[in-house]
């Protein structure tokens, strides 16, 4: 991990949830837009494995996957220890009932798998702990 790396900006999670992009970067964007939008990555861009055609671009708690020069997924880890490019911000104190209210407004599916509550909408999956703590968000 690059100890000196710092995010060039921070963005609140609710802004991403409402727009399904980070600034102008979204699933389907050209991967040339990744560096333009996000700046220098924390680690060198790398293939997922030796034979993979998928590349990982790591920016703190944001991992952008690209294939054939196109962004195919944006994954945000709110549970880990990496520096935060995406922050909770105004929804920091939300509990499970707040998320369930939002899922009704946005017409998302709610699934419980073991101890994980998954909110699934068009282009987004949000994984929550049973008490409503955000763990992972995937845009795809």
């Amino acid at each position: 991990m690059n100890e000196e790396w710092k995010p060039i900006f921070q963005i609140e999670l609710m802004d991403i949830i409402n727009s399904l992009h980070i600034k102008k970067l979204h699933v389907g964007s050209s991967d040339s837009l990744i560096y333009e939008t996000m700046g220098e990555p924390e680690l060198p861009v790398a293939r997922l494995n030796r034979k993979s055609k998928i590349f990982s671009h790591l920016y703190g708690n944001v991992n952008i996957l690209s294939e054939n020069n196109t962004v195919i997924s944006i994954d945000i880890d709110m549970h880990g220890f990496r520096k935060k490019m995406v922050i909770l911000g105004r929804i920091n104190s939300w509990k499970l009932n707040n998320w369930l209210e939002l899922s009704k407004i946005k017409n998302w599916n709610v699934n419980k798998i073991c101890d994980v509550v998954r909110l699934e909408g068009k282009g987004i999956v949000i994984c929550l702990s049973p008490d409503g703590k955000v763990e992972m968000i995937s845009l795809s």
Side-chain angles (χ1 to χ4, degrees), residues 20-75:
L20 298 181
H21 57 71
I22 297 176
K23 297 207 175 230
K24 55 186 173 181
L25 183 70
H26 57 86
V27 173
S29 295
S30 167
D31 68 355
S32 63
L33 195 57
I34 298 170
Y35 183 80
E36 182 181 322
T37 303
M38 307 291 280
E40 191 70 35
E42 180 177 358
L43 298 173
V45 174
R47 292 178 188 268
L48 289 186
N49 64 47
R50 204 171 353 150
K51 293 183 179 183
S52 180
K53 295 180 182 179
I54 298 174
F55 289 87
S56 172
H57 311 256
L58 188 62
Y59 292 88
N61 67 336
V62 178
N63 188 18
I64 302 164
L65 301 179
S66 67
E67 181 179 25
N68 296 325
N69 301 316
T70 303
V71 174
I72 59 170
S73 179
I74 300 173
D75 300 315

